[in-house]
Amino acid sequence: MVNYMAEPLVFHFEVDGDNFTSAGQASVQVKKNLRELGIDPETIRRVSIAMYEGEINMVIHAHGGVAEVIVSDESVEIILKDTGPGIPNIEQAMQEGFSTAPDNVRSLGFGAGMGLPNMKRYTDYMHIDSVVGVGTTITMKVNY
Amino acid sequence: MTVSELAAVQGFEAVTLPDGERKIGGVYIGDLLSWVMGRAKADDAWITIMSNINVAAVAALADVACVILAEGVELDGTVKETAESKGINVLTAHMPAYETAMALASRL
C-alpha cells in the first residue's frame, strides 16, 4: 500500500436488483477508488472481479442488496448482503458449472456456474452465510 | 504490439480506441463472461462474439487490453459510449474467432 491509513476506509453501495444492465457499477466504482488509493493493479483486479461476480449474483437471484468494502492496511474486505431466497446447498453452489440462473441471464453470457468459484479463486478468504428464505451474506478478503 | 497497431492490420477495425497505446500481452477467447473473468489475464486481447453492455464491465474489471468482436459483430450505440467512457478499446474483426487469433498469434 502506498498510503498509510490510520483507520480503515469504508465504502457502501446499494445494488439495484431490477437493473441488469447497470450491474457492475459498484465494482467499477470500487476499482476507481482503490486505484486512487494507490493499491497495486493485481489486487484491484482480484477485488473488483470478486465483487462483480457477487453483484451479478445479487441481481440474478436476490433482487439486489447492499455491498460494503472495507479498505485497511492489510487487506480489502468485501461484504455482500441480500435478503434473497438463500442458498440451500452451498457445497453444490460452489462447484464450477452448477447454476440455477434462468435462460434470459444465460443469453447475456452469465449463468455458467462460475460466479461463486471465481469469487473464491480471486480472494484469500471467503465465507458464505446463507439461510433459505432469509438471505445470504458473503464475506471476502483480499490481502495485499 | 499495441492495440492501435492491431487496429491498423487488415481485417481489423477500431470501434473505440480510448487507450490505443496499450500493449497486448496475450489472447483469450470466450463468450461466457464468468469464464472470461476467471481465466483471462490482464493485458490479454479478448476475442468474443458477445456485444451486450456487460462486456464493457467485464473488460474493465478483468483489465484486458482490448475486446475484439469476431465475425464482424457490431456494438450498439449505448454500449459503444459506455466502452469509450470506461477507457475500453474495442475492435471488430471481419473473420471468425480462430482466424482472428491466428492473425494475432503471428504478431505477438
Side-chain angles (χ1 to χ4, degrees), chain A residues 63-80:
Chain A
H63 306 295
V66 291
E68 204 163 78
V69 178
I70 304 159
V71 185
S72 70
D73 278 339
E74 294 89 31
S75 66
V76 180
E77 188 173 0
I78 308 154
I79 302 165
L80 306 168

Side-chain angles (χ1 to χ4, degrees), chain B residues 28-102:
Chain B
Y28 188 82
I29 307 175
D31 302 316
L32 290 174
L33 302 182
S34 287
W35 272 94
V36 176
M37 282 193 286
R39 308 276 199 248
K41 296 183 196 73
D43 300 323
D44 274 354
W46 169 26
I47 301 172
T48 183
I49 51 161
M50 294 298 270
S51 61
N52 63 58
I53 187 84
N54 305 105
V55 168
V58 169
L61 297 168
D63 205 17
V64 295
C66 64
V67 179
I68 303 174
L69 302 169
E71 313 270 9
V73 165
E74 289 178 11
L75 278 192
D76 76 36
T78 338
V79 183
K80 198 172 158 179
E81 277 168 33
T82 307
E84 191 86 53
S85 72
K86 283 183 177 158
I88 308 298
N89 298 313
V90 181
L91 310 184
T92 293
H94 298 277
M95 48 195 151
Y98 174 69
E99 277 84 352
T100 305
M102 291 288 284

